[in-house]
Amino acid sequence: MSTPPHAGTATRIACAIVPEFALAVSRRLDAPAPGQPLALVEERGQGGVVRAVDAAAREAGVRLGQSAARARARCPALCCRPWRPERLAEAARALAGMLHEAAPLVVPADDEAPGTFWIDAQGLGRLGGEPALARRLVKVAKREGYPTLRIGVADSAVAARAAALAAGPPVRLVPPGGDAAFLGGLSLEALQLPEDIAESFALLGLRSVADLHALPEGPLLDRFGPAARALLDRALGHDARRPTGRPPEAPPEVGLTLDQPVDQTEALLFGLRGLLDRLAARLLARGLAASRLALRLALDDRSDVERVVEPARPLQHPGLLFELLRDRLERFSLEAPVVELRVVVLEAVPALAEQAHLGVAGRDTAALEAALHRLRGRFGDGTVVRPRPADDPRPEASGRWEPVADVPLAPYGAFVEPHPGSSFGTKPREGPALEGGTPRVEPRAVFRLLPACRPLEARFDAAGLPRAVRWGEAWRPVRVRGPERLSGGWWTGSGYAREDYRLLLPEGAVLWASRDARKGEWQLLGWMD
Amino acid sequence: MISERVHELLRSTRPQPPASAPLVTGVSEVDRLLGAEGVPVGRITEWVGAASCGKTGVLRGLVLSARRRGLAVAYVDAGRTLAAGDWADEAPGLLWVVRPPRPADAPDCAEILLRACGFDLVVLDGAPPLADALGVRLQRLARRAAAALVVVRDARARPSGGPVTTRLAFTAVIETPAVPLVWRVEATRDRGAPSPPGRFFLTEPVPDRLATCPPAPDRPATRTRARGAA
């Protein structure tokens, strides 16, 4: 925002505001369940602190500054997502780019809260005027996942902002020349007073902008100095701020309209390949990499289908983009043949230079990423996982599967011997205990879990222990070994107290069963191998 | 584009795993059966045994040994029966566990992983028996990727098709029928160079679990009444 040379001439400015922008971004990107109370939690030390709450959570008693544990105690259904302020600016830029479809100039308001945009609303008479502009903006925002967008249009930025935030309908148009009258009916909060001045005004009994208008200018300037001058100007709707600057470029988008409807996946894949080559060239020309894409298909029955994809890391390479999208395209269940294929970059970030590890014993990161994208695209995002330890004595909970979202860029072969004949290579570090060049591993049995633990089908003896169990299709006699008593978790609200047993079958199989010490119920958890 | 040329260059100059470092299990008797070559690279090795015969325990040793050398391992867990706690380790090598929605999807996962040429060891566990054509294709992909492919199957399942080079069969009896259990495992190699069976012991991992028991949080201090107070 700056003061243009023509400041003071008649202008029209629109202000678009996404209330609670951080929550809206989280709701859009983190996808909590619809209607579920949402809170954003900032990790601090061992716990978390609530930084933002939506209306449902607020109604349930969750407050800003509470610890995450207390907030969950207040509202058991609360969905906690991490507080990530760094992505707000990126999301604002992306939304500004999309709103640019509806208005000639849209810029994020750097001097306002994230999620506020200034829009040039002048000279739109032939495009339906200001009501049509507001409708277009709301429609685009809804499409992009921001259904709560509020619009205010006025002669000045301060009045437009106040109109957007005023209670009532989401769109408010202040007539030309009506800023001072509109602002006069509002409370002083609409002027964004500094905290000390707001306190002073409250002590003086000033509540509304009209009260400020009624005061004589001289004593006010004597009491509050130059700051009062700016306030008085704002109160009368004199605000030099205008949307200026270069409008954000729309994210790259490529499309292919087919000569005739196509229902064969191979033909669509062929078209997709060409599209992605063009898209990659555009990304490269602008130094960008796509971090979120949408694959949109227009069908012959006039319906549209869309799938949004987020790669493991921002992509620019056409081959990797193709691997990312090909399986998504194959998994579309289409009701009608396709007439148009479109790939839209929803979010892009500056492409980073990639370090190539020439001569180092490592694997091709790009190929691994392609495999990851293919597996996730074909079988779901949670298909590829890696084990992580967890602090729990129960065997089935002593680790957790963490979805693999990216591929390490650095060579991961820290212990790999240098390639013979090469002067390069990683320096072998002192590794785990070696025995004649072979890492020593203590052999031990491992647990195999049933996909879902199920009640143990058993016949019990007088002591209440199983003497025969149903394993497969037949009843087998068993010898019981145990119990191994495990209890804990009472401090988390999900306490357990159980007795684990090993059930030895005649043919040598060892089943792993558990008896709930409080309810007496038996569960078959798995076997050992 | 430059990036494509760099990727091509990387692919063409990627060093192969040195021949002097065979893939081994860390269990000396099994490694003796496998010979100096270890688990053969570029070929299919079949790992056969009934439930609780110790085959997964030995396989864990193979995976862990490879990861400790910095090699990359992919494990296709078709039945989704692995417990994460047994496989979590700070070894530097990459480990991806692929858990497809249906066991029938597991061979496709293995094919995608081998095509990536990014792994030194790929384990296919619990998948339906491989058809001949699929077995041949996977073996060719393994050879191209310079990776070892280990196919794990239950002793009652039909053998896999295709060129299985090495087959290790495991049988076990309970040696100490008390907790912690101890198995006496016998491994035989029924394909490849003949050698006498290997015998070793496996134990149940109870001590590890007890060591990771989390501490309970401190209780609030209780108010103590002064001696003699009413």
Side-chain angles (χ1 to χ4, degrees), chain B residues 97-225:
Chain B
V97 177
V98 182
R99 312 180 84 202
R102 299 176 305 145
D105 295 326
D108 290 345
C109 295
E111 188 173 340
I112 291 171
L113 292 164
L114 288 170
R115 278 189 194 283
C117 296
F119 294 94
D120 302 282
L121 170 64
V122 175
V123 180
L124 179 56
D125 184 0
L130 302 178
D132 280 344
L134 180 58
V136 169
R137 192 160 74 239
L138 290 180
Q139 192 261 332
R140 285 182 181 165
L141 288 172
R143 191 169 56 201
R144 196 187 76 174
L149 175 61
V150 175
V151 178
V152 185
R153 72 170 170 89
D154 191 87
R156 293 168 300 176
R158 192 160 51 83
S160 295
V164 174
T165 311
T166 308
R167 178 175 292 143
L168 286 183
F170 295 87
T171 55
V173 293
I174 301 292
E175 179 78 7
T176 310
V179 176
L181 300 173
V182 177
W183 284 260
R184 182 157 49 83
V185 184
E186 184 172 295
T188 54
R189 179 171 177 167
D190 66 353
R191 189 172 286 198
S195 58
R199 295 186 179 85
F200 58 97
F201 292 97
L202 279 182
T203 56
E204 187 186 354
V206 173
D208 284 355
R209 293 210 310 278
L210 294 178
T212 60
C213 183
D218 291 339
R219 290 166 183 265
T222 54
R223 188 179 299 166
T224 55
R225 185 177 294 176

Side-chain angles (χ1 to χ4, degrees), chain A residues 265 269 272 295 307 321-332 370-379, chain B residues 112:
Chain A
T265 309
L269 286 175
L272 180 67
L295 177 61
R307 185 148 296 168
L321 287 168
F322 183 67
E323 292 296 342
L324 178 70
L325 293 179
R326 64 183 287 180
D327 287 308
R328 264 79 174 186
L329 181 59
E330 286 174 348
R331 284 170 65 189
F332 268 122
L372 178 62
H373 290 148
R374 287 214 66 187
L375 289 166
R376 292 176 68 186
R378 194 156 167 187
F379 302 113
Chain B
I112 291 171

Side-chain angles (χ1 to χ4, degrees), chain A residues 63-87:
Chain A
R63 296 287 178 269
L64 296 182
Q66 275 179 345
S67 69
R70 181 175 289 271
R72 284 196 196 93
R74 282 289 181 92
C75 178
L78 185 68
C79 173
C80 290
R81 292 283 186 260
W83 167 256
R84 293 169 62 186
E86 73 281 359
R87 67 180 182 183

